[in-house]
Amino acid sequence: MSEPRTMPEVRRIVVALDAARIAEEALEAAAGLAAALQAELVGLFVEDIELMRTAQLPFARELGLASAVLRRLETSDMERALRLQAVHSRERLAAAAAALNLQWSFQVVRGQPLAAVFDALEGSDLVVFGRAGRLVQEHRAPSIAARGGGAQTERFRHLSLRPIVTLFDGSERAWHALAVAHALAATARTRLTVLVPAEDAGEFARRRQEARAWLEERDSMARFVQLLGKEMRVVLDAVRKERAAALVWHDPTAPKDRAALRALLSELGCPLVLVS
Amino acid sequence: MAVERLKPEALYRRCNPAQFDFDSTAEVTEAADAFGQARAAGAVEFGIGIEREGYNLYVMGPVGTGKRTLVKSRLARKAPGEPSPGDWAYAHNFRQPSKPIALALPVGRGAALRKDMEQLVEELCATIPAVFESEEYRTRAGQIEAEYSERHEKAFSELGKEAAAEKIALMRTPAGFTFAPLKDGEVISAEDFGALPQEEKQRLEAIIRELQAKLENIVRNVVRWRREQRSRIKELNREMTLFAVGGHVAELKERYRDVEKVPEYLDMVQQDVIENVEEFTKAQEPSGPGPGQGAEAPSFRRYGINVLVQCEEGGGAPVCSEDHPTYQNLIGRVEHVPQFGTLLTDFTLIRPGALHCANGGYLLIDAHKLLIQPYAWEGLKRALSTRQIRIESLGEMFGLVSTVTLAPEPIPLDVKVVLFGDRIIYYLLHAYDPDFPRLFKVAADFDERLDRAPESDRVYGRLVAALAQHNKLAAFDRNAVARVIEHSARLAGDARKLSANVQAVSDLMSEADHWARLDGRERVGAGDVERAIEAQRGRADRLRERMHEQILRGTVLIDTEGTRAGQINGLSVLQLGDYAFAEPTRITATTRLGDGKVIDVQREVELGGAIHSKGVLILSAFLAARYSLKRPHSLAASLVFEQTYGLVEGDSASLAELCALLSSLADVPIRQSLAVTGSVNQLGEVQAIGAANEKIEGFFEICRARGLNGEQGVLIPAGNAPDLMLRADVREAVAAGRFHIYAVSHVDEAIELLTGMPAGAPDTGGGFAPDTVNGRVAKRLRDLSERQSKLAAREPARARVRAKGRT
């Protein structure tokens, strides 16, 4: 067993920002973690170079999501739209940091979103993703949600309604992910769901017992769900079934497998907290 | 024709203390009731007893006559035995939020319903979130979500795959979607695209146009799918909410199944909860935001019950008094609260009026206060006519304000209104308001004076005792009670009457109590009452003292001895608030040849009232009819109230004026030691006047100040003799023969007394003996007539001379 004796030190949390609603949830999660772990919050807005490139194409058209109207896509319009998004993202980051009295910074880079975030990962301990650049999937849970109360709940109005989900396989990074998920759930005053990949009931019970004991020491509890495998599709189904507010993910292969990460982000439907 | 002086015992009607069956009022335990107001009491009994439309009461009479006391005592006996009307409440109208529903509930169940609704909301706040957090809901909602997610996913995924097959990426832009050709897994640059063969470019563009068309179709479908998804989620929510709310509402409906409209209202509540279930799942206080936000606002206020009227079991019919009967205080009002610079309201801000509180019972209102309040009378009449209480904003009605307001459902009205007021208001309303006789069919007329008889003295004694006890005064001994009753007769201005002004009597008793306590006595005696009367008089006496001082100094000329022709002492009364006093006024008359006209100087200078002028015309007619039947009435006379600078009204000086005229005509001097009051008719008969007591006392005080000589006195109409309730000092002077009061019935009696010369009775031919006043008057008038005839005969000759001179 590789249970951590102390919370892994987290000094810098990067959150990938854009104007989408899901990015608000990512910002909430990142800010909550920064507050819980007393880390610096770094906002990273990536001007998607692929969008810029698309806008330069002579036939480029944009179909409005709300209006379903097809219109000409101009480079200048795209640049202005991205700058505006960056301004809005910075404002939201500043507001979230001020509310929790966080140290923060904001960067705008141009490039491929995932690549840019991974570049920024150097020197960061956690990265929080909203969605992938080519994500076209967006679905929301029903508006009905549990009642809460207090300023903390209001501050984490997205996170507090649904559980924080993490994947726990007993590895050292899984323990780190559990600790991060626990800190986020405690800060947002929401529930914690632990997905445990296990081939059989015995293995599931053992890992559950380990994690439960660790949580009980911290006066916490969690819902445990057995996963029959660690494949992304299995994890994705479980996360969506739990209607997770955020997924704390520790897959060591993810940073290296951008295509897999992109696929995960495109279908996850909630922020992803990547524990490095 | 000797006129007898009134004896001292005729000047005052004593109340015999021995007739009381108590030594002091402390012994009286029997409750006093209004007495001597049998007619009014009967009308009140009838009015409050009859249960017919329009039989409201108007109780009229002077202030302090116990109108309210009697009505309240009758209602206190009747109302508790009548059924309690029940509770009234307003509730939100979920179909028409601006028209709150009026709920009639049995006694005590208004508050119960309010509490039940509060509990219902509390329970729903706990139950509904629990239902929506249940595994069942999560699963079913997840299934719906998953179904549509899959549908979206599949649509976009298939399109994405189709695009990817052509090496084209489907990308999200800040405002929508776009397609871009790929090269080596990345979006192709403009340069690379430019370098492609023309055919390839055209092919890619064609593919992208085709994909865009498909994307457009998907986006349109997505909108429709989302609508479908919301609809299904809503249906699921309805199902789950019905499960959560249905049981509670069914329980309440069972509890209130016997109460009209409440089950229907609860159905509407259930429907509203289902339609607005999100509000129960949000983190908010049950009270919600401010009022006036209607059904759209996330507020639980709309599930509340505004109980307007709460009755107690066995409490009987309500009896309410409205001391400030404004329109709103009578009809009720809808209050507003400011919110973000605008005025908002809802049904919880409906406030009841007096009509709500008195509904099913009795409402007591002062008529004068009601009539001076804008639109209050109209509002009351409308409510009584329609038998409904319809709360309407005055500002809205007259377009003075335009803001969000309510039109609450009218409440049926069953009330008996009792108006208290003056007679003049009753008569004016009766004459000028056609609704009034229809709505106020019963008039209870309280008299200001009550008949005085031995039995009524005893009953009045019990009233005095009751007042002493009610006002927590020291006990009054029987002599004090008798003195109070005697003063009451004086207040009535008639020894045969008692004043119905209970308030004035009560005030006198309180002041007597004060003096007794000041002297350290525990029982109030007659001396204390006397002292209180004197103190009351003294407090209001400033002006009387100043005027009497002017007379005594000689500034105002009044003789109280000697004789003088054509000059007489009249008596005037000044009423200042509730205090009246009298002073003598010199009246002079001059006579000469003329055309039969008596000039009333007061009238000529517009300082004489109509009644005074009438008196002068009457005495003119008397003179002409009595002395100038057979010849022209060739008299010119002037009558003056000397040294008066204000309006003279009333005819109580007409006897004095006639005597002054007769004295002037007969050239017979009048005794200035006497003063005269009384009016005369055309036959010379003396008629009763008011304030005889004050007039006698007014002249007495001047005479006493100058020294009573045994000759002085006052002539009053014989009709006023039974009224007298004179002060003790006057009575004592009369008893000692130093002052005299004469009761006269005819002007001949008065002139004989004033001049000391026989008046003279007419003979069969209508003539009078020459050595009488009348004989001398007749002779003077005859002389004047003859002189007038001679002058008339000379006039044609003079006219002819004047005409001749001109030619």
Side-chain angles (χ1 to χ4, degrees):
Chain A
M1 185 168 111
S2 53
E3 177 184 345
R5 292 298 161 212
T6 57
M7 168 65 73
E9 188 178 4
V10 177
R11 289 160 303 185
R12 201 160 175 267
I13 297 173
V14 174
V15 56
L17 293 173
D18 60 24
R21 186 192 65 81
I22 200 163
E24 280 185 35
E25 297 172 8
L27 179 58
E28 255 185 40
L33 280 170
L37 307 175
Q38 296 181 318
E40 180 192 356
L41 182 61
V42 179
L44 183 65
F45 185 85
V46 183
E47 291 180 351
D48 192 341
I49 196 165
E50 292 193 327
L51 284 178
M52 296 301 300
R53 208 177 282 159
T54 303
Q56 289 166 357
L57 295 172
F59 55 86
R61 297 284 187 279
E62 179 185 47
L63 186 74
L65 181 59
S67 63
V69 170
L70 198 63
R71 51 186 168 256
R72 176 86 180 97
L73 196 59
E74 300 284 355
T75 308
S76 55
D77 290 343
M78 181 60 73
E79 283 183 341
R80 271 195 290 273
L82 290 174
R83 274 203 303 274
L84 196 62
Q85 273 193 319
V87 169
H88 289 164
S89 297
R90 189 182 192 285
E91 287 171 353
R92 293 205 316 276
L93 178 73
L100 294 168
N101 198 22
L102 301 175
Q103 189 181 357
W104 65 280
S105 60
F106 182 76
Q107 297 173 24
V108 180
V109 296
R110 180 167 291 192
Q112 286 183 327
L114 279 180
V117 174
F118 286 130
D119 290 345
L121 260 177
E122 297 299 323
S124 298
D125 304 295
L126 290 176
V127 64
V128 183
F129 292 97
R131 61 172 169 79
R134 293 184 195 167
L135 177 72
V136 292
Q137 176 65 11
E138 183 173 356
H139 47 250
R140 293 194 56 180
S143 60
I144 300 303
R147 285 165 59 82
Q152 197 73 352
T153 305
E154 182 59 26
R155 195 165 286 144
F156 298 103
R157 60 195 179 91
H158 293 111
L159 293 183
S160 62
L161 303 177
R162 290 176 284 151
I164 305 297
V165 175
T166 188
L167 193 69
F168 181 76
D169 57 8
S171 66
E172 185 179 354
R173 291 166 67 90
W175 278 108
H176 288 170
L178 179 63
V180 168
H182 168 254
L184 181 57
T187 303
R189 292 187 181 166
T190 189
R191 307 182 300 276
L192 176 63
T193 298
V194 181
L195 306 178
V196 182
E199 295 296 330
D200 54 55
E203 185 183 1
F204 170 67
R206 194 178 69 254
R207 287 183 178 161
R208 180 178 62 183
Q209 183 53 38
E210 290 171 2
R212 180 178 284 166
W214 185 86
L215 288 168
E216 282 175 354
E217 282 178 18
R218 287 151 184 80
D219 293 328
S220 297
M221 52 193 295
R223 169 181 152 82
F224 289 87
V225 177
Q226 181 180 0
L227 296 187
L228 298 172
K230 288 173 64 175
E231 296 78 17
M232 189 171 293
R233 176 54 52 192
V234 176
V235 175
L236 265 175
D237 287 347
V239 169
R240 290 166 65 172
K241 191 175 177 186
E242 289 298 316
R243 300 172 60 233
L247 171 65
V248 182
W249 180 261
H250 68 275
D251 188 345
T253 63
K256 300 175 181 65
D257 187 354
R258 295 182 187 179
L261 185 59
R262 178 176 296 183
L264 175 67
L265 288 173
S266 68
E267 295 190 32
L268 193 56
C270 69
L272 173 68
V273 180
L274 199 61
V275 179
S276 61
Chain B
M1 194 185 295
V3 177
E4 287 193 9
R5 297 167 180 167
L6 292 181
K7 292 188 167 56
E9 54 270 23
L11 306 182
Y12 195 80
R13 181 171 165 180
R14 292 192 173 282
C15 174
N16 183 9
Q19 68 182 305
F20 300 124
D21 53 0
F22 54 82
D23 282 333
S24 81
T25 55
E27 300 166 19
V28 179
T29 54
E30 185 186 349
D33 199 356
F35 71 97
Q37 302 279 14
R39 179 179 48 246
V44 170
E45 289 282 1
F46 170 76
I48 64 175
I50 188 167
E51 293 178 357
R52 293 284 173 187
E53 191 177 347
Y55 279 83
N56 298 294
L57 284 91
Y58 188 98
V59 181
M60 58 183 153
V63 173
T65 49
K67 300 188 293 292
R68 278 182 183 267
T69 306
L70 185 137
V71 170
K72 283 183 175 174
S73 71
R74 294 293 188 274
L75 290 176
R77 285 208 293 261
K78 185 171 188 296
E82 296 181 339
S84 294
D87 297 351
W88 278 102
Y90 272 110
H92 183 67
N93 186 340
F94 294 93
R95 296 191 183 111
Q96 291 180 284
S98 64
K99 294 182 178 175
I101 304 167
L103 299 174
L105 297 126
V107 176
R109 297 190 70 184
L113 179 60
R114 178 174 59 198
K115 193 171 179 185
D116 285 340
M117 289 305 295
E118 286 169 359
Q119 281 183 349
L120 175 69
V121 170
E122 274 182 33
E123 284 171 9
L124 292 181
C125 285
T127 310
I128 289 176
V131 165
F132 285 95
E133 284 181 49
S134 67
E135 200 61 39
E136 178 188 353
Y137 177 78
R138 288 154 63 99
T139 304
R140 292 181 62 185
Q143 285 168 350
I144 293 170
E145 182 190 3
E147 181 184 331
Y148 285 93
S149 293
E150 284 166 14
R151 200 180 286 183
H152 297 175
E153 218 173 288
K154 189 178 173 190
F156 282 106
S157 175
E158 284 178 354
L159 186 64
K161 283 176 185 169
E162 189 179 338
E166 299 289 346
K167 295 190 176 175
I168 291 172
L170 171 59
M171 300 174 67
R172 177 82 186 264
T173 64
F177 299 98
T178 188
F179 289 100
L182 296 174
K183 183 183 177 186
D184 301 329
E186 293 184 352
V187 173
I188 192 169
S189 66
E191 293 77 20
D192 288 346
F193 183 77
L196 290 175
Q198 191 61 28
E199 296 77 24
E200 180 62 8
K201 287 183 198 172
Q202 287 174 350
R203 189 187 70 81
L204 286 172
E205 286 182 26
I207 293 170
I208 286 175
R209 274 199 299 275
E210 195 178 328
L211 290 170
Q212 280 168 343
K214 289 180 179 175
L215 178 64
E216 193 177 333
N217 196 34
I218 289 173
V219 169
R220 289 186 198 284
N221 282 340
V222 164
V223 173
R224 185 166 56 82
W225 292 337
R226 280 185 182 151
R227 199 163 52 236
E228 282 178 19
Q229 183 181 358
R230 279 198 297 273
S231 174
R232 287 183 60 185
I233 288 289
K234 197 170 178 181
E235 188 54 39
L236 173 64
N237 291 348
R238 287 174 62 86
E239 191 181 318
M240 300 303 287
T241 310
L242 185 59
F243 168 73
V245 72
H248 296 302
V249 169
E251 192 181 319
L252 284 182
K253 280 174 71 177
E254 175 62 20
R255 197 176 299 165
Y256 291 94
R257 71 178 187 279
D258 58 330
V259 184
E260 196 181 354
K261 294 206 295 195
V262 173
E264 183 188 350
Y265 164 72
L266 291 168
D267 283 339
M268 286 195 289
V269 168
Q270 176 172 297
Q271 189 62 26
D272 188 76
V273 171
I274 289 170
E275 287 171 5
N276 299 283
V277 67
E278 288 88 352
E279 294 175 20
F280 288 89
T281 64
K282 289 174 183 166
Q284 63 172 22
E285 294 303 315
S287 58
Q293 298 184 347
E296 296 79 20
S299 165
F300 297 145
R301 292 172 68 96
R302 65 183 184 276
Y303 304 124
I305 298 291
N306 180 5
V307 182
L308 252 63
V309 180
Q310 290 189 70
C311 293
E312 289 178 15
E313 190 68 56
V319 179
C320 303
S321 289
E322 180 51 62
D323 294 330
H324 187 41
T326 61
Y327 177 88
Q328 291 89 343
N329 286 355
L330 281 176
I331 309 295
R333 63 190 182 282
V334 179
E335 293 182 342
H336 289 73
V337 293
Q339 197 169 70
F340 305 122
T342 187
L343 292 173
L344 300 175
T345 188
D346 67 11
F347 75 99
T348 62
L349 294 177
I350 299 172
R351 300 289 179 253
L355 284 173
H356 292 97
C357 301
N359 199 2
Y362 305 88
L363 177 59
L364 317 183
I365 313 174
D366 182 275
H368 182 253
K369 289 178 181 173
L370 175 70
L371 291 169
I372 62 172
Q373 292 295 338
Y375 308 108
W377 173 238
E378 288 302 317
L380 177 65
K381 282 195 302 179
R382 195 180 308 123
L384 291 175
S385 297
T386 59
R387 309 194 74 182
Q388 285 185 339
I389 315 172
R390 182 185 293 275
I391 299 177
E392 291 172 302
S393 158
L394 279 180
E396 278 286 308
M397 266 165 40
F398 296 101
L400 301 176
V401 294
S402 178
T403 185
V404 177
T405 192
L406 302 175
E409 192 179 354
I411 287 178
L413 177 65
D414 176 19
V415 70
K416 193 171 283 292
V417 175
V418 183
L419 289 182
F420 298 91
D422 298 335
R423 292 193 184 96
I424 186 65
I425 293 177
Y426 177 83
Y427 297 133
L428 286 172
L429 286 172
H430 215 283
Y432 293 110
D433 188 339
D435 296 328
F436 182 71
R438 186 171 55 80
L439 295 173
F440 289 83
K441 294 181 178 174
V442 183
D445 194 351
F446 277 65
D447 205 341
E448 50 269 77
R449 300 194 300 180
L450 315 170
D451 289 336
R452 186 179 176 199
E455 177 55 30
S456 57
D457 274 5
R458 283 192 287 278
V459 177
Y460 208 94
R462 285 202 294 278
L463 174 67
V464 169
L467 288 171
Q469 289 165 12
H470 180 265
N471 296 333
K472 297 184 172 52
L473 305 178
F476 279 54
D477 67 23
R478 58 173 66 198
N479 293 321
V481 173
R483 185 66 189 92
V484 169
I485 291 171
E486 289 166 2
H487 184 66
S488 175
R490 169 64 189 252
L491 288 175
D494 188 340
R496 297 161 297 182
K497 297 283 183 182
L498 290 168
S499 171
N501 189 342
V502 179
Q503 187 59 52
V505 173
S506 176
D507 291 346
L508 174 70
M509 292 174 62
S510 296
E511 292 169 30
D513 170 82
H514 168 75
W515 294 118
R517 288 179 194 273
L518 211 63
D519 287 350
R521 275 179 280 106
E522 293 180 354
R523 186 177 281 198
V524 180
D528 298 314
V529 178
E530 193 66 46
R531 190 175 174 186
I533 293 168
E534 288 301 320
Q536 281 185 346
R537 189 181 299 142
R539 289 198 296 272
D541 213 24
R542 183 192 63 80
L543 187 60
R544 187 198 63 81
E545 277 186 6
R546 293 290 84 76
M547 295 179 80
H548 282 207
E549 184 182 306
Q550 301 252 305
I551 292 171
L552 296 174
R553 284 182 175 179
T555 308
V556 173
L557 299 176
I558 297 291
D559 291 340
T560 52
E561 56 187 20
T563 60
R564 190 163 184 179
Q567 175 180 306
I568 194 167
N569 290 322
L571 291 165
S572 309
V573 172
L574 281 86
Q575 184 79 40
L576 301 171
D578 59 352
Y579 177 63
F581 66 92
E583 59 162 2
T585 303
R586 173 175 289 177
I587 301 170
T588 59
T590 56
T591 52
R592 59 198 175 277
L593 180 64
D595 57 358
K597 189 176 178 185
V598 176
I599 297 171
D600 175 11
V601 174
Q602 301 298 128
R603 185 187 178 191
E604 296 299 316
V605 297
E606 297 183 350
L607 284 174
I611 298 172
H612 179 258
S613 299
K614 179 189 172 191
V616 173
L617 291 173
I618 287 172
L619 66 89
S620 302
F622 168 77
L623 282 175
R626 190 175 209 197
Y627 301 110
S628 305
L629 274 176
K630 296 175 182 172
R631 61 181 62 85
H633 189 53
S634 306
L635 169 69
S638 298
L639 282 169
V640 177
F641 271 59
E642 302 289 355
Q643 292 184 285
T644 59
Y645 307 101
L647 186 73
V648 174
E649 179 55 309
D651 64 351
S652 70
S654 60
L655 174 60
E657 290 169 322
L658 179 55
C659 290
L661 269 178
L662 294 175
S663 165
S664 175
L665 282 168
D667 195 23
V668 178
I670 284 174
R671 291 165 61 190
Q672 300 299 304
S673 57
L674 296 174
V676 179
T677 183
S679 70
V680 288
N681 61 18
Q682 289 194 100
L683 305 176
E685 293 166 334
V686 178
Q687 302 165 147
I689 43 78
N693 292 308
E694 285 79 1
K695 287 173 177 172
I696 293 169
E697 289 165 0
F699 191 63
F700 171 78
E701 282 169 5
I702 297 295
C703 295
R704 184 176 59 181
R706 288 178 171 171
L708 294 171
N709 59 17
E711 295 294 322
Q712 291 142 333
V714 177
L715 278 68
I716 63 167
N720 284 113
D723 298 348
L724 297 181
M725 286 296 289
L726 290 167
R727 282 185 344 225
D729 50 355
V730 181
R731 300 197 309 267
E732 286 162 8
V734 169
R738 290 185 287 123
F739 195 76
H740 310 288
I741 294 159
Y742 304 93
V744 296
S745 302
H746 196 274
V747 66
D748 288 345
E749 295 175 9
I751 197 68
E752 194 168 299
L753 200 57
L754 289 164
T755 60
M757 179 181 283
D763 57 24
T764 50
F768 296 93
D771 54 347
T772 61
V773 175
N774 287 332
R776 293 178 71 142
V777 170
K779 182 178 182 304
R780 174 80 188 282
L781 288 173
R782 195 165 54 242
D783 291 348
L784 290 172
S785 177
E786 285 169 359
R787 188 172 173 74
Q788 178 73 22
S789 298
K790 285 177 186 170
L791 287 173
R794 281 186 210 153
E795 189 59 27
R798 284 182 184 167
R800 280 195 299 274
V801 170
R802 282 198 295 272
K804 197 174 179 181
R806 282 198 293 274
T807 57

